[in-house]
Amino acid sequence: MVSQGDAFCPGHVTAFFEVCEDPDPERKGSRGAGLSLSVGVRTTARVREAAQASLDVFVNGRRQRAEVTELAASKVLGSGPYEVKILSETPLPVSQGFGVSAAAALSTAMALDDALGLGMRREDLVRIAHVAEIECGTGLGDVVPASIGGMDLRLEPGAPSHGVVRTFDVREEVLLAVLGPEIPTRSVIRDPAKVAAINRAGSTCVAEFARDPTLPRLFDLGNWFAEETGLASKTVREVVRASRMFGRASMTMLGNSVFAIGNRDQMAPFYLRFGTLIRCEVDNEGARIL
Amino acid sequence: MVSQGDAFCPGHVTAFFEVCEDPDPERKGSRGAGLSLSVGVRTTARVREAAQASLDVFVNGRRQRAEVTELAASKVLGSGPYEVKILSETPLPVSQGFGVSAAAALSTAMALDDALGLGMRREDLVRIAHVAEIECGTGLGDVVPASIGGMDLRLEPGAPSHGVVRTFDVREEVLLAVLGPEIPTRSVIRDPAKVAAINRAGSTCVAEFARDPTLPRLFDLGNWFAEETGLASKTVREVVRASRMFGRASMTMLGNSVFAIGNRDQMAPFYLRFGTLIRCEVDNEGARIL
């Protein structure tokens, strides 16, 4: 007998952040702010009892090593003798700051809990996905806000019961433009000099945003953060500047990409000069069973 | 000592085609027509001698099972005791009719030949990639035209020395719009009823296109083929029809996607309603060492 569960987790973009180290992965993470996206990862978990336990992950129909997803799945599964297939679909590219690994891990944890009828608490599933992301070094703060949706201000880092997050409903169309090659998150957050610059600028942004948590402010502070930390490439800086003609854009942390709001008809042809463009909205619901 | 080779192979879209069965995979393939794209797959092959042979494939930074690439690589490698890393990068989604598996396989074969200094003939590398694609059932006719570039008319199927292809230089911007979920090529080309309908319409299109091999004709015949075979979804049909306002679009065979030419400023916002959009040009050079 095969049982199945389906879940969706929004993608998530971060405008600015601060790395918060802690030996406990539940407490480690980031402060910062961003948006949850109506495009994300949709996962089907198929489970059956078997003599030999196995776990296979397919992303967009291809078998794939997906370490965050595998780690999250193994934490939900425990030592049960299950044959598990994880089938994830996403239109988002990886390593472009769209929170794909977080969304894959959380949608997997939720779909698997549903398929097995475990009835785990939602916050425990979020904790599992957060810890998997931290342990793999692929992200710091996407799981918790993507679980809630909306525009987020992460005041304290970490998994539920440690992390403190305020969220705000936002009805807005968002354009995601990919401008250059991937940036593996690990390569930045494991570099002490980069982290020092990030934390100086990030803590200022968090304090400023807490005083006026509005969408225009998210973009203003994101632009300042990208310049101040030196994380933005020349192309990203130029695109952000040019976008002010028709709206506002900010770099995705961490990717060679921007997210933007404004006049789609004028912005789309401009962004397309660089390659790939994805249209979506802000997701105000957060991760959910389908 | 590590040696390295780098190669690029264009993506490729097919407007219409005819399945040509043959027990010999070098002779099996398709007749049809399409375009090579300036976006494709860029592959770095890193090789060193080792006590134990190994082959690892990474796509966009993630370790991945990539059967066509692995098969092509193993045919180039023979039984040499090498530790091989294949690093492929692409902005194109898979299973959307953009010829990603073909481009990955051919760029891998070329990069590997270069890294090892084997000096294999170009047509042998193209043959290896074609046969790998046929044996895996992931495509029929992308490898040979993508190796040459331009707009292609494939008059006879199969690998070099069997296949007959005419190509035409085209200077044109192309928009690629993803409209729905993936279509695994295998699910169509292994279904006899679908193949019968495809072959009736496809042979007519090839004959018509041979009389007037122009870009507008490619789109006209592609539209007729998509309707006639029933391969186009309702969304694809509606988008193709609406695109005539600003240019022309045709379904990618086989994907829930279209490729289009025309007024980018007017078309881009329209296509973006459906999600992902990629801008490129026709590639007139074909696969190459970098």
Side-chain angles (χ1 to χ4, degrees), chain A residues 23-36:
Chain A
D24 177 357
E26 291 192 18
R27 292 171 185 273
K28 183 172 167 176
S30 60
R31 294 191 186 87
L35 297 172
S36 289

Side-chain angles (χ1 to χ4, degrees), chain A residues 78-144:
Chain A
S79 58
Y82 299 111
E83 190 183 290
V84 177
K85 276 211 173 76
I86 301 296
L87 309 165
S88 293
E89 302 283 328
T90 181
L92 293 170
V94 298
S95 296
Q96 287 289 0
F98 300 132
V100 175
S101 56
L106 182 52
S107 60
T108 295
M110 291 174 70
L112 210 42
D113 173 72
D114 194 44
L116 292 163
L118 297 175
M120 289 174 73
R121 290 187 310 165
R122 184 185 169 86
E123 64 178 81
D124 289 329
L125 295 167
V126 175
R127 173 178 300 114
I128 280 171
H130 172 82
V131 169
E133 175 101 310
I134 294 293
E135 287 177 350
C136 294
T138 47
L140 288 166
D142 291 317
V143 170
V144 172

Side-chain angles (χ1 to χ4, degrees), chain B residues 194-224:
Chain B
K194 285 181 187 160
V195 169
I198 286 168
N199 284 4
R200 272 193 305 276
S203 60
T204 305
C205 288
V206 169
E208 285 295 317
F209 192 58
R211 277 210 284 274
D212 179 21
T214 59
L215 197 56
R217 233 19 218 146
L218 183 74
F219 283 86
D220 283 346
L221 293 167
N223 290 174
W224 182 81

Side-chain angles (χ1 to χ4, degrees), chain A residues 8 26 53 60 64 73 87 182 224 249 255 263 269 283:
Chain A
F8 171 80
E26 291 192 18
N60 292 338
Q64 202 161 310
L87 309 165
E182 301 84 51
W224 182 81
N263 185 320
D283 176 289

